[in-house]
Amino acid sequence: MKINKKVKFAIYSVLGFFLLLFVILVYHIATAKPVENATIQVSRIDFDKPFDSSTTVEIKKELHSIAGVKSEIIVKKNVVVYFHDNRVADSKKIYDELMTKGNYKAERFVLPANMLNKQVCPVMKRDGISYKFTKLIQGIFN
């Protein structure tokens, strides 16, 4: 009889532990705040020749002067990667403004058509159970 009580106690303890973890998970999903920078987009411009240090500073200065461009601008060799708010300006508008400010030979990087609708999050697959569970919990509490 004593073994039976110990086994029941162990089973109830394990079940209680998993129930507690499940409740914590649901609480975490329900109280998660939406992403604040959901409108920030990364864009790229490819130039025909590598930059020297003065051109790098000039390009950064000109990009900063365009509305919507954020402070993170990465310049490597002949490629400029910048972050911008897509509510203020899209990458085509920023590219056009930059080309009018300076006499540059460059082209805007555009994703190939076969990659436009690819999923970018390797963790949450839209047809997976994790994604569906998260959406269900958010739908209930939000």
Side-chain angles (χ1 to χ4, degrees), residues 58-122:
E58 179 185 331
I59 291 282
K60 283 186 176 183
K61 184 179 139 207
E62 288 177 359
L63 273 173
H64 279 299
S65 68
I66 299 172
V69 176
K70 300 296 180 185
S71 62
E72 299 90 5
I73 297 173
I74 303 164
V75 179
K76 297 273 181 157
K77 294 184 182 176
N78 64 331
V79 176
V80 175
V81 177
Y82 59 94
F83 296 82
H84 61 95
D85 190 341
N86 60 13
R87 293 174 298 182
V88 178
D90 63 347
S91 63
K92 175 128 179 64
K93 179 181 174 191
I94 293 171
Y95 171 78
D96 292 339
E97 277 191 49
L98 182 65
M99 292 303 118
T100 58
K101 289 180 182 240
N103 188 15
Y104 303 114
K105 292 181 182 169
E107 63 182 59
R108 187 171 64 101
F109 179 78
V110 180
L111 281 176
N114 63 344
M115 293 184 69
L116 281 177
N117 294 325
K118 283 210 171 193
Q119 183 177 345
V120 294
C121 181

